[in-house]
Amino acid sequence: MTLNIGVIGVGMIGQDHVRRLTQVLAGARVAAVTDVDLDRAKSVAAGLPQQAQVHQSGQELIASDDVDAVLVASSGPTHEEYVLACIEAGKQVFCEKPLATTREACERIIDAEVAAGRRLTMVGFMRRYDDGYRGMREVVASGDIGTPLVFHSAHRNPSVPDAVTSAGMVVDTCVHDVDTARFLLGTEVAAVQVAKPRRSSRAAEHLQDPLVLLLEMTDGALVTVEAAVNIGYGYDIRGEIVGESGTVALAESNRIVVKRDGGFGGRVPADWRERFVRAYDVELQAWVDAAAGGASTGPSAWDGYAATVVCDAGVEALESGRRIEVTLRERPGLYGVD
Ligand code: NAD
Ligand code: ISE
């Protein structure tokens, strides 16, 4: 069976997902697209190998009988409306991170799924499909390094547009590290603090770049998240867990090392598309396969909710300079235990 997918939002990652749905993955086709920038939607549709409907709005696309499942890749504040409409229509939805930009919006999505009695939403936390992070998780689960004590996560972007804010660094960038901490350590975040190192001279005036989040997990483990978004040299994602009797860390993401002229080195990825290309492929194929069978998989609305609540606390910690406790609502049975 071929799953007919409607894509809402065809900016940077929307177009990248359209490419992979069309050229890389099996069992899916892009049947419809929309974007508030209709010219952009039309030009993306025109580049597809098979005809795709261009809808005037996301709501129209979701309601269309030609669309079996929906991929939401519009900007964060628009996600809630589209995800809720998909749940209402009983259609599986892959929603790029963040699930929604406020705790309340995420709770409305959880309430809608609980009322529907089934999970319909998968959140685009692609790191959960990265070989490196999966390997780290297996090592932790094996007990080989003992009880995890500290997880160091570094999230470095080469540069960002001037419009990016310090709060945006927390909710848009660190959200991945928050989900990664939950995924690797298997516990929730209990409290957040933010430290402000000396600012990079490469950063815009208004930006606290870099910043460091300190997450206290419910079992006492600590997580440091260094976010640096004007690092210049490339897109560099690092991670190391320190356990009681050993450590496990991400290796360099390129698989070759070049030695010449008395030195050695390799390529640093240019951006998230290059660094996580395989993770995005695996993630989206998993969603397509599950959705084709009417099932859900992957990071859930609960995971999206938990990450957003922690990031909200992170913004409060950043702005107030205080340690902010994180309180999650009771986890509905629909979302299991992990
Ligand atoms: P972008 O600005 O390049 O694209 C967003 C697109 O959505 C634009 O084409 C815009 O016109 C469209 N849009 C805005 N409002 C809309 C609406 N109401 N209805 C329909 N279309 C609308 O941004 P992007 O970088 O592609 O990011 C899109 C989403 O994907 C964001 O939520 C972002 O956080 C997420 N993202 C995730 C990753 C990842 O690594 N998983 C990477 C990049 C972006
Ligand atoms: C972007 O939206 C992403 O999700 C990328 O994965 C992240 O590295 C980047 O910082 C965000 O802006």
Side-chain angles (χ1 to χ4, degrees):
M1 170 202 166
T2 300
L3 189 73
N4 292 309
I5 296 173
V7 179
I8 300 178
V10 282
M12 261 193 302
I13 202 162
Q15 289 183 36
D16 201 39
H17 284 329
V18 165
R19 175 194 59 77
R20 68 173 38 84
L21 287 168
T22 310
Q23 298 174 18
V24 183
L25 306 188
R29 89 177 181 86
V30 176
V33 294
T34 190
D35 196 293
V36 277
D37 182 343
L38 267 182
D39 287 339
R40 182 176 287 171
K42 283 178 191 159
S43 119
V44 168
L48 291 170
Q50 287 171 304
Q51 210 198 333
Q53 188 76 31
V54 177
H55 287 279
Q56 298 293 312
S57 71
Q59 297 293 353
E60 186 187 287
L61 177 147
I62 293 165
S64 167
D65 288 340
D66 299 334
V67 169
D68 302 323
V70 178
L71 189 155
V72 176
S74 48
S75 29
T78 69
H79 292 180
E80 178 194 4
E81 172 196 349
Y82 296 138
V83 172
L84 285 175
C86 290
I87 296 168
E88 173 79 27
K91 293 188 181 180
Q92 294 286 337
V93 53
F94 175 92
C95 179
E96 260 310 334
K97 46 66 54 175
L99 171 63
T101 46
T102 65
R103 165 197 283 264
E104 294 74 21
C106 293
E107 288 187 343
R108 286 190 283 274
I109 291 169
I110 287 178
D111 289 341
E113 285 199 337
V114 169
R118 61 188 179 127
R119 279 186 49 191
L120 286 148
T121 312
M122 172 168 165
V123 182
F125 287 132
M126 77 296 182
R127 289 182 178 190
R128 292 180 178 229
Y129 294 87
D130 176 69
D131 289 341
Y133 284 119
R134 286 184 161 204
M136 286 175 76
R137 191 175 196 243
E138 277 166 27
V139 168
V140 171
S142 72
D144 281 355
I145 63 165
T147 304
L149 307 174
V150 181
F151 168 41
H152 297 291
S153 191
H155 192 149
R156 302 180 190 144
N157 281 266
S159 63
V160 289
D162 275 355
V164 168
T165 62
S166 305
M169 284 172 65
V170 176
V171 300
D172 216 38
T173 296
C174 298
V175 67
H176 283 294
D177 306 85
V178 169
D179 182 65
T180 306
R182 297 180 62 253
F183 174 67
L184 293 177
L185 302 177
T187 50
E188 296 291 359
V189 177
V192 190
Q193 297 172 64
V194 178
K196 302 177 180 176
R198 173 159 60 175
R199 289 183 51 254
S200 162
S201 61
R202 305 169 66 99
E205 278 285 290
H206 64 272
L207 208 58
Q208 176 52 56
D209 175 23
L211 55 78
V212 178
L213 257 57
L214 182 66
L215 311 178
E216 296 169 35
M217 306 305 286
T218 44
D219 63 356
L222 284 185
V223 177
T224 62
V225 179
E226 170 219 308
V229 294
N230 288 284
I231 206 76
Y233 68 85
Y235 181 77
D236 195 13
I237 302 298
R238 318 201 66 80
E240 180 178 31
I241 297 175
V242 181
E244 279 177 335
S245 48
T247 67
V248 58
L250 290 177
E252 296 297 339
S253 58
N254 56 320
R255 285 157 204 240
I256 57 164
V257 173
V258 178
K259 296 185 181 176
R260 60 190 283 269
D261 298 334
F264 68 88
R267 181 176 165 74
V268 180
D271 62 16
W272 36 269
R273 278 173 292 212
E274 181 179 346
R275 167 63 180 84
F276 288 109
V277 62
R278 194 177 130 69
Y280 292 120
D281 290 350
V282 178
E283 147 190 86
L284 221 49
Q285 187 68 66
W287 177 66
V288 166
D289 293 348
S296 58
T297 190
S300 66
W302 176 264
D303 296 310
Y305 157 75
T308 291
V309 172
V310 174
C311 290
D312 278 359
V315 172
E316 193 180 340
L318 172 75
E319 289 169 356
S320 67
R322 288 187 291 117
R323 171 183 176 276
I324 305 297
E325 293 197 356
V326 174
T327 318
L328 299 179
R329 68 188 274 180
E330 200 178 323
R331 183 171 174 143
L334 192 61
Y335 301 109
V337 285
D338 185 24

